Amino acid sequence: MNNGAVITVRNAHKSFGKLRAVRGLSFEVERSTCFGFLGPNGAGKTTMMNMIYGRTMRDRNPTGDIEIFGFDPARHELEIKYLSGVVPQEDNLDVELDVRKNLVIYSKFYGLSAREAERRIDELLEFMELTDKKKSRIRELSGGMKRRLLIARALLNNPKLLILDEPTTGLDPQVRHLIWNKLRQLKAAGTTILLTTHYMEEAFQLADQILIINQGEKLLSGNPQDLLARHMEKYVLEVRNLEATSMFETIIRVTDIRQDRFHDSLLLYTDDLDLLKEVTRELDPRDYFQRQTNLEDLFLKLTGRELYERQ
């Protein structure tokens, strides 16, 4: 294990029949950081997470060297599960029990004494701002409350590693930002986080390092801000009225502007803000939107805008 890395993956492969879900992935995760997996549906994100957690290592076809806090998932699945907490993509709470009893039942899997479980549950309910819901049935909770309860459940054993599979999908912005804040606090306290998400802003806000994959293969990896600086222009102009673009086609041809057309929109990328101002001089303000580029622009540059339609 190198330079403080607590997770190392070297040349990982995984197939399901003829489908090659993971193809030669290699990366490292340092202690007390958040590592994000980005990719379209079917890219291999969840499969790679399951390999780290030991769920797919019983099969014979996984290959590569994987080490999690000094443990090999192929031989030490239980040890890795004991030091990990997992927030699944799907809600699997017991709807017949209330909030507190869901946590009590789960605490028994980790061998917590009744006194220790009570103390830990109280701490986590307060941390996730669910104390006033401790006697509520699961069916009475909102989607955001359920996600927060799933995170609380994953933290019962005070894990060194927290695995989050699409933790804020379908949640409103207020709940999403609350969860982001809680995850930052956990990271600051020493928890290492693995994250898969379709929200580019979520990855940008939380991840110290990201790995963008497609069809099981690595496309790009690094710090989100560094990747944007190295691989993207600073500004983008989204033109929604293609009929209006004819008036500045000459400017586009003779200047350093990268074009990307998608359905009825034209996106123009450049580092020259003055040039974009010149392009928009004759446009109706309702026909365009000018902004700084973001991680989603980089993601679409790498994976293609038509990708989701092909799946």
Side-chain angles (χ1 to χ4, degrees), residues 10 89 110 118 163 192 194 294 298 305:
R10 294 285 179 267
Q89 190 172 9
Y110 296 107
E118 182 178 2
I163 299 175
T192 303
L194 291 182
N294 55 37
L298 175 60
R305 292 184 177 273

Side-chain angles (χ1 to χ4, degrees), residues 270-300:
T270 182
D271 290 319
D272 190 340
L273 184 58
D274 291 333
L275 183 57
L276 289 186
K277 291 180 180 179
E278 181 180 352
V279 168
T280 60
R281 187 174 298 156
E282 301 299 327
L283 288 179
D284 187 316
R286 293 171 296 183
D287 289 338
Y288 70 89
F289 176 60
Q290 183 178 298
R291 58 174 174 81
Q292 289 185 311
T293 52
N294 55 37
L295 195 57
E296 186 165 315
D297 293 305
L298 175 60
F299 179 84
L300 293 173

Side-chain angles (χ1 to χ4, degrees), residues 239-246 249 261-266:
V239 184
R240 297 156 183 162
N241 180 6
L242 291 185
E243 294 181 0
T245 63
S246 59
E249 283 183 353
R261 292 181 181 268
F262 181 65
H263 294 312
D264 58 351
S265 297
L266 174 66

Side-chain angles (χ1 to χ4, degrees), residues 6 22 105 123 216 222 263-264 287 292 307:
V6 294
V22 174
I105 293 296
E123 288 178 351
H263 294 312
D264 58 351
D287 289 338
Q292 289 185 311
L307 186 61

